[in-house]
Amino acid sequence: MLVALASFFPIYWAVITSIKPDGEVISGSNSLIPNRVVFDSYIHIWNNTNIGIWYINSMVTSLIITALVIVSSAGCAYALSQLDFPGRRVIYVLILACFMVPMQALIVNHFVLMAQFKLLNTWAGIILPQLIVPVVIIVYKQFFDSVPKEFREAAQMDSAGHLKILFRIYLPMNWGVTASLAIITFIGAWNSFLWPFLAATGEATMTVPVGITQVKDAYGIVYGKLMASAVVAGLPVAVVYLIFQRRVTQAIMLSAGVKG
């Protein structure tokens, strides 16, 4: 209970700060209950920022990233698990080695590459570098390895191609895994800050986590409005987690098991 309260307190503090009058926020009052509840901060960010556009950008890019990661990772894992071709083990070792290279170490390379292709400040420039998620490939491969090869051989006897086998047999058999990985990928894409912050140079292409850094006025940081923006930004992730809590937990356990 103590750990839960300690984890929840910053969220509670953000919420109550967002519904306090500006005067009460800047007065240095540390009361845990606001003296007066107002929603001026939420009205301000809706009327004076591009938060609607940021929401659309975040939703579109997160959904596209999730779909492309799931499809490409499932195809890659199927090939590594079920097909016999030269260099298969080398490719798998290289994918495992990707765990040793953090995303932050590749930022400069990604930025230069996107600049050369003139994709900075575009949805494509935000999406492409985030499609590299090795853990999804590895989790899929582990589950595909557990599927008896007789299923694939029987489908091939009925003239089914590999794409049909993957999408009609293997993925439906692992629907729970796919749902879990899709949810955790979506949450990660929605919360991504560092790369979108570098790739999106204009407010028209910013995502929500990047856009809230622009919430300020002539007097500097306005904490009530900043907290309101943070609450609004975190709302979709909170809703997704509350609805799919079991799937999210399963995906985290799968990822931790692979890394362990």
Side-chain angles (χ1 to χ4, degrees):
M1 287 297 296
L2 290 176
V3 172
L5 289 174
S7 302
F8 177 74
F9 182 76
I11 301 174
Y12 174 75
W13 186 261
V15 173
I16 65 169
T17 302
S18 69
I19 59 177
K20 285 181 178 180
D22 287 339
E24 186 176 346
V25 174
I26 63 177
S27 68
S29 173
N30 294 322
S31 61
L32 296 179
I33 301 176
N35 296 326
R36 186 164 61 92
V37 175
V38 296
F39 295 95
D40 295 345
S41 295
Y42 291 94
I43 296 172
H44 174 84
I45 63 172
W46 182 258
N47 292 331
N48 298 280
T49 69
N50 293 322
I51 194 166
I53 296 175
W54 301 338
Y55 248 87
I56 293 174
N57 293 339
S58 285
M59 187 61 66
V60 171
T61 56
S62 297
L63 289 175
I64 292 176
I65 289 170
T66 301
L68 292 179
V69 166
I70 292 300
V71 172
S72 61
S73 298
C76 180
Y78 174 84
L80 293 172
S81 173
Q82 301 297 316
L83 305 183
D84 188 11
F85 57 90
R88 181 179 65 171
R89 292 187 177 181
V90 175
I91 294 175
Y92 186 60
V93 170
L94 290 175
I95 293 173
L96 289 173
C98 289
F99 283 120
M100 301 175 62
V101 183
M103 174 69 176
Q104 292 78 2
L106 303 174
I107 286 293
V108 175
N109 294 335
H110 288 161
F111 188 87
V112 172
L113 185 63
M114 293 299 106
Q116 290 176 343
F117 283 103
K118 302 185 185 302
L119 293 178
L120 292 178
N121 206 33
T122 65
W123 281 354
I126 295 173
I127 292 170
L128 289 175
Q130 298 188 70
L131 300 181
I132 307 171
V133 189
V135 66
V136 180
I137 299 174
I138 296 170
V139 170
Y140 264 133
K141 183 182 181 301
Q142 289 181 339
F143 278 87
F144 291 164
D145 286 342
S146 65
V147 178
K149 293 186 177 181
E150 288 75 12
F151 285 95
R152 174 172 57 85
E153 294 171 353
Q156 288 177 328
M157 291 180 63
D158 290 336
S159 302
H162 290 297
L163 286 177
K164 186 174 183 180
I165 294 173
L166 172 62
F167 289 102
R168 297 291 296 274
I169 298 176
Y170 278 74
L171 284 181
M173 292 178 67
N174 297 280
W175 174 245
V177 176
T178 298
S180 301
L181 293 176
I183 293 167
I184 204 70
T185 301
F186 176 85
I187 292 176
W190 181 277
N191 289 332
S192 179
F193 172 77
L194 181 57
W195 173 248
F197 178 76
L198 296 175
T201 57
E203 289 196 16
T205 54
M206 287 181 178
T207 58
V208 174
V210 178
I212 62 177
T213 63
Q214 309 299 310
V215 179
K216 54 188 176 182
D217 60 14
Y219 300 98
I221 298 175
V222 280
Y223 293 101
K225 299 175 179 61
L226 183 63
M227 289 300 180
S229 303
V231 171
V232 173
L235 189 60
V237 174
V239 171
V240 169
Y241 181 79
L242 290 175
I243 296 175
F244 302 104
Q245 181 177 2
R246 182 177 300 179
R247 293 298 185 190
V248 173
T249 304
Q250 181 183 0
I252 294 174
M253 292 175 64
L254 289 171
S255 303
V258 170
K259 293 181 180 180

